[in-house]
Amino acid sequence: FEKLVEKGESKTLEFKESLNLKDEIGECVSAFSNVSGGIILIGISDLKEIKGVQLGNRIVEELTNYIKQHTDNPTYVDIEVLNIEDKNILIIYVKESEEKPVLFKGKAYIRVGKSTHKLSAPEIRKLAKNSYGVYWDEQACKDTKLNDFDKEKIKWYLEQRERHRNISKKIKISFGQVVCIKNGFL
């Protein structure tokens, strides 16, 4: 813990002196989620002084719920309470999100160096575009070969589509072209 504090704030470490800074804490959660994850230490000043925080019966649960309720994609953080020099310190562990951007109260943030920055609309679109958040059923099967597909099932599907959705098969294409189109290769 001492080594962590001594390093000081960084791309993956933030100090917050008080629990009264819930919105700033939420912004940091968004920022860490949108980059590479990080740790927020609550009860530590920017000058690395151990101030500690007052803990009520449900403060950890309330903070966890506050973060989850105000983030979109809802973000679940791990919070640990550490007692240093008879003072309570909260350690919030934030994982990088697979699906980005993570918004806090409708705004997206990223971590640059040791500061948190609000993203503009074009930056949010770029972050979403570059996100790993591709659902399993949207992913191409990269190792699939043409003979892995069942020609009869594809033919049946195309006939059903034409009959039930009134989608015409005016264009005659080969089986190979159908498979390539469905898998995003053409």
Side-chain angles (χ1 to χ4, degrees):
F1 176 80
E2 289 82 15
K3 288 180 183 178
L4 192 62
V5 172
E6 191 55 41
K7 273 179 39 179
E9 291 184 327
S10 67
K11 183 178 181 179
T12 58
L13 182 63
E14 174 71 18
F15 300 154
K16 291 294 175 202
E17 193 167 321
S18 168
L19 280 167
N20 294 331
L21 304 170
K22 282 185 180 178
D23 285 349
E24 289 182 28
I25 293 166
E27 292 169 5
C28 287
V29 169
S30 168
F32 287 145
S33 296
N34 288 327
V35 185
S36 55
I39 297 172
I40 304 168
L41 299 177
I42 304 174
I44 307 289
S45 75
D46 288 341
L47 300 173
K48 305 177 189 175
E49 296 174 80
I50 298 174
K51 299 285 190 176
V53 293
Q54 291 289 93
L55 294 181
N57 290 341
R58 297 173 28 108
I59 196 71
V60 171
E61 182 182 349
E62 289 171 3
L63 183 58
T64 302
N65 288 336
Y66 183 82
I67 291 168
K68 181 186 102 28
Q69 291 169 356
H70 289 90
T71 51
D72 183 18
N73 304 313
T75 302
Y76 300 90
V77 295
D78 291 321
I79 300 179
E80 180 181 345
V81 178
L82 196 59
N83 192 286
I84 304 290
E85 300 173 8
D86 291 324
K87 297 175 184 171
N88 292 316
I89 305 298
L90 289 182
I91 304 173
I92 302 176
Y93 299 96
V94 183
K95 295 178 185 170
E96 178 180 2
S97 177
E98 290 183 18
E99 189 175 340
K100 299 171 188 164
V102 171
L103 308 176
F104 176 75
K105 291 192 171 183
K107 297 178 178 133
Y109 299 86
I110 60 164
R111 192 74 175 179
V112 178
K114 57 183 180 178
S115 59
T116 298
H117 297 274
K118 187 176 92 159
L119 292 176
S120 66
E123 290 170 318
I124 291 170
R125 285 191 292 274
K126 183 177 179 182
L127 183 63
K129 183 179 175 186
N130 294 332
S131 172
Y132 311 162
V134 177
Y135 298 103
W136 71 269
D137 59 344
E138 295 173 336
Q139 297 179 12
C141 297
K142 295 180 182 176
D143 297 328
T144 305
K145 307 286 186 259
L146 190 56
N147 59 359
D148 291 332
F149 293 93
D150 185 326
K151 290 180 185 181
E152 291 304 312
K153 286 183 181 175
I154 291 176
K155 183 179 173 186
W156 174 87
Y157 165 77
L158 293 173
E159 289 169 356
Q160 295 299 311
R161 183 185 71 156
E162 182 175 8
R163 186 172 18 173
H164 294 287
R165 293 187 181 172
N166 294 325
I167 297 174
S168 173
K169 290 191 300 186
K170 289 180 185 174
I171 302 173
K172 298 292 181 192
I173 57 176
S174 72
F175 171 73
Q177 288 173 313
V178 169
V179 171
C180 289
I181 291 169
K182 292 295 270 180
N183 286 299
F185 300 126
L186 290 182

